[in-house]
């Protein structure tokens, strides 16, 4: 396990050519999935340098490089919950930190900003492409470990993150004071656990109330709700890009959902409609997800950060595209013209 990352790999990342000036990289319209996979570790280093973390926390490049490479190895080759998802979620954290000036304006301390960026990068480590409920149903090892506390997958992602930090030569946080280190791990725990959809639904109404009464930086629960909101926004950031990107990502998500449905059928169980490739209507389900869940989260974000309004507008555009894709799909089905895959 230890020699999964070679010294040469580490050196390549620490010696990243600094001329990584990609136009529009720091804009919300940029789609991070267009960065070549082999270039992504260098871009993580670039983002952490730009955010001031290397200087503020005296981070040694070879430790950080080794950590990034182990995190990348920690992700599996599944259709959606893979390293490019992790990279795109971390990129959104970089966009939020820079465009909303979260540290400059006192929303986050530098330590909270570091925890946010690292949590986004690590939040789905070792995901198997199956849901929390599937862990219970299949009596997976992870369910036996964590089902009593809930958020089974998220607790595993957290545990994998801490294990990676404790892997030889990966602890890039070793210059932090004891207090800061403990505080940082606490923040990473809250932030990764916030990416469980069930946890989001539990606090959503209070996040809405927080936005309506006005965000108060002095209130610890407001700071917790904002950190959770920024995690879910990062996790959903594919939905704020252009239609081509959004449609491509939906296909990856349903490739995972349908593979789980096939597994459930193989186990003699009846999968939920959206997991069943014979029954799912992707446009209908996506319209429901975007209008009931996704756009609500970004609307709260936009009440706190006005320049997040363009993200709400992008989601509205994608809703319009799903509606027209649904009309075409329905018409083609009536004419018996196509199987769903052709359309999407
Ligand atoms: C485009 C898009 N469609 C989705 C449709 C349905 C669901 C879903 O999980 N339905 C519940 C069933 C499975 C029990 C999630 C979807 N989804 C997510 C997502 C969001 C998550 O949770 C946060 C970040 C807290 C919202 C957690 C995991 C995922 Cl995959 N990301 N993009 C999508
Ligand atoms: Mg997750
Ligand atoms: Zn995720």
């Amino acid at each position: 396990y230890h020699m999964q990352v070679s010294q040469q790999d580490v050196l390549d990342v620490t010696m990243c050519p600094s001329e990584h000036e990609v136009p529009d990289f720091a804009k919300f319209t940029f789609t991070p999935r267009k960065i070549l996979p082999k270039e992504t570790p260098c871009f993580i280093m670039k983002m952490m340098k730009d955010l001031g973390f290397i200087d503020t926390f005296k981070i040694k490049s070879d430790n950080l490089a080794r950590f990034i490479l182990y995190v990348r190895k920690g992700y599996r080759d599944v259709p959606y919950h893979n390293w490019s998802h992790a990279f795109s979620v971390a990129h959104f954290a970089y966009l939020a930190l820079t465009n909303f000036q979260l540290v400059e304006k006192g929303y986050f301390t530098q330590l909270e900003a570091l925890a946010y960026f690292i949590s986004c990068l690590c939040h789905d480590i070792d995901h198997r492409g199956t849901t929390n409920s599937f862990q219970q149903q299949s009596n997976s090892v992870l369910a036996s470990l964590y089902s009593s506390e809930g958020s089974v997958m998220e607790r595993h992602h957290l545990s994998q993150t801490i294990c990676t930090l404790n892997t030889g030569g990966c602890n890039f946080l070793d210059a932090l004071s004891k207090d800061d280190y403990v505080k940082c791990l606490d923040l990473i725990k809250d932030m990764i656990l916030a990416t469980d959809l069930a946890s989001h639904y539990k606090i959503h109404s209070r996040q809405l109330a927080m936005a309506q009464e006005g965000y108060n930086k002095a209130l610890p629960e407001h700071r917790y709700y904002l950190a959770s909101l920024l995690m879910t926004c990062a996790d959903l950031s594919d939905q704020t890009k252009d239609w081509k990107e959004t449609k491509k990502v939906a296909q990856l998500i349903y490739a995972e959902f349908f593979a789980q449905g096939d597994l459930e059928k193989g186990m003699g169980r009846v999968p939920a409609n959206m997991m069943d490739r014979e029954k799912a209507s992707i446009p209908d389900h996506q319209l429901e997800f975007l209008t009931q869940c996704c756009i609500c989260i970004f609307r709260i974000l936009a009440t706190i950060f006005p320049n997040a309004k363009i993200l709400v507008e992008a989601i509205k555009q994608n809703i319009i595209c799903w509606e027209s894709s649904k009309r075409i799909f329905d018409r083609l089905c009536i004419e018996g013209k196509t199987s769903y895959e052709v359309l999407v």
Side-chain angles (χ1 to χ4, degrees):
Y1 171 76
H2 183 84
M3 287 317 290
Q4 276 187 356
V5 166
S6 76
Q7 203 43 36
Q8 187 54 50
D9 294 341
V10 174
L11 214 57
D12 293 348
V13 178
T14 52
M15 311 298 284
C16 289
S18 59
E19 80 275 350
H20 264 311
E21 289 318 311
V22 170
D24 298 338
F25 183 76
K27 293 226 176 75
F28 280 118
T29 49
F30 187 79
T31 53
R33 290 170 181 273
K34 78 166 93 164
I35 299 286
L36 293 173
K38 67 177 174 23
E39 309 242 313
T40 47
C42 280
F43 274 89
I44 300 286
M45 295 285 273
K46 166 198 158 41
M47 288 190 271
M48 291 184 72
K49 277 185 196 109
D50 290 357
L51 292 167
F53 296 151
I54 311 292
D55 298 338
T56 308
F57 300 106
K58 299 179 183 46
I59 293 173
K60 292 195 282 298
S61 310
D62 64 325
N63 285 6
L64 178 58
R66 195 173 288 106
F67 175 79
I68 293 166
L69 291 169
Y70 268 104
V71 169
R72 182 172 68 172
K73 285 243 180 238
Y75 279 87
R76 296 193 184 193
D77 183 18
V78 288
Y80 177 73
H81 284 104
N82 50 42
W83 169 250
S84 53
H85 171 59
F87 181 75
S88 66
V89 175
H91 178 258
F92 183 87
Y94 170 78
L95 293 180
L97 287 162
T98 43
N99 288 277
F100 301 146
Q101 296 185 294
L102 294 178
V103 175
E104 298 81 346
K105 295 195 170 162
Y107 290 101
F108 271 176
T109 63
Q110 266 281 30
L111 192 69
E112 286 165 337
L114 174 69
Y116 176 47
F117 185 84
I118 296 301
S119 300
C120 283
L121 190 67
C122 300
H123 83 283
D124 273 332
I125 288 188
D126 197 33
H127 202 292
R128 290 92 193 274
T130 53
T131 61
N132 281 337
S133 54
F134 183 80
Q135 304 313 314
Q136 325 272 31
Q137 284 165 22
S138 61
N139 283 316
S140 74
V141 170
L142 299 183
S144 56
L145 278 170
Y146 303 118
S147 62
S148 53
E149 295 133 296
S151 303
V152 172
M153 285 312 303
E154 291 74 25
R155 287 186 192 282
H156 178 57
H157 305 318
L158 172 64
S159 138
Q160 292 296 94
T161 302
I162 293 169
C163 285
T164 308
L165 267 174
N166 293 332
T167 302
C170 290
N171 200 337
F172 66 97
L173 297 174
D174 59 7
L176 265 63
S177 70
K178 181 98 178 70
D179 283 4
D180 275 357
Y181 186 78
V182 168
K183 175 81 189 145
C184 190
L185 287 194
D186 241 9
L187 289 163
I188 289 170
K189 177 179 181 217
D190 285 348
M191 289 176 177
I192 290 182
L193 292 184
T195 59
D196 175 6
L197 192 56
S199 314
H200 160 71
Y201 285 133
K202 282 196 196 102
I203 66 170
H204 179 62
S205 51
R206 267 168 287 156
Q207 287 170 321
L208 198 55
M210 169 185 80
Q212 283 159 348
E213 69 195 42
Y215 181 77
N216 181 346
K217 293 171 190 157
L219 287 178
E221 62 270 22
H222 275 204
R223 297 182 77 86
Y224 169 74
Y225 295 147
L226 179 63
S228 305
L229 186 77
L230 284 163
M231 285 305 293
T232 47
C233 287
D235 209 352
L236 292 169
S237 53
D238 288 318
Q239 301 310 308
T240 67
K241 308 297 183 185
D242 59 82
W243 170 240
K244 198 167 64 64
E245 196 75 6
T246 301
K247 193 172 77 164
K248 204 165 60 183
V249 162
Q251 281 173 285
L252 300 177
I253 288 185
Y254 286 93
E256 272 192 19
F257 283 173
F258 294 162
Q260 175 174 318
D262 296 347
L263 283 176
E264 288 167 335
K265 287 174 189 171
M267 287 153 56
R269 291 178 171 278
V270 179
N273 278 1
M274 76 170 190
M275 304 279 183
D276 187 335
R277 58 179 83 249
E278 263 91 44
K279 294 183 188 159
S281 161
I282 295 177
D284 287 315
H285 184 244
Q286 280 303 294
L287 280 167
E288 184 191 339
F289 183 76
L290 290 183
T291 54
Q292 305 304 319
C293 176
C294 206
I295 199 164
C296 311
I297 292 172
F298 281 91
R299 279 209 170 100
I300 294 176
L301 190 74
T303 63
I304 302 172
F305 306 106
N307 59 355
K309 277 194 185 58
I310 57 161
L311 302 175
V312 175
E313 289 314 309
I315 296 170
K316 282 183 190 165
Q317 271 312 310
N318 287 321
I319 288 170
I320 291 166
C321 292
W322 277 118
E323 275 157 357
S324 73
S325 132
K326 172 174 162 48
R327 279 194 297 278
I328 299 167
F329 170 67
D330 290 346
R331 192 170 336 111
L332 285 173
C333 276
I334 292 162
E335 293 158 6
K337 277 258 177 59
T338 176
S339 75
Y340 189 75
E341 281 62 36
V342 170
L343 184 69
V344 180

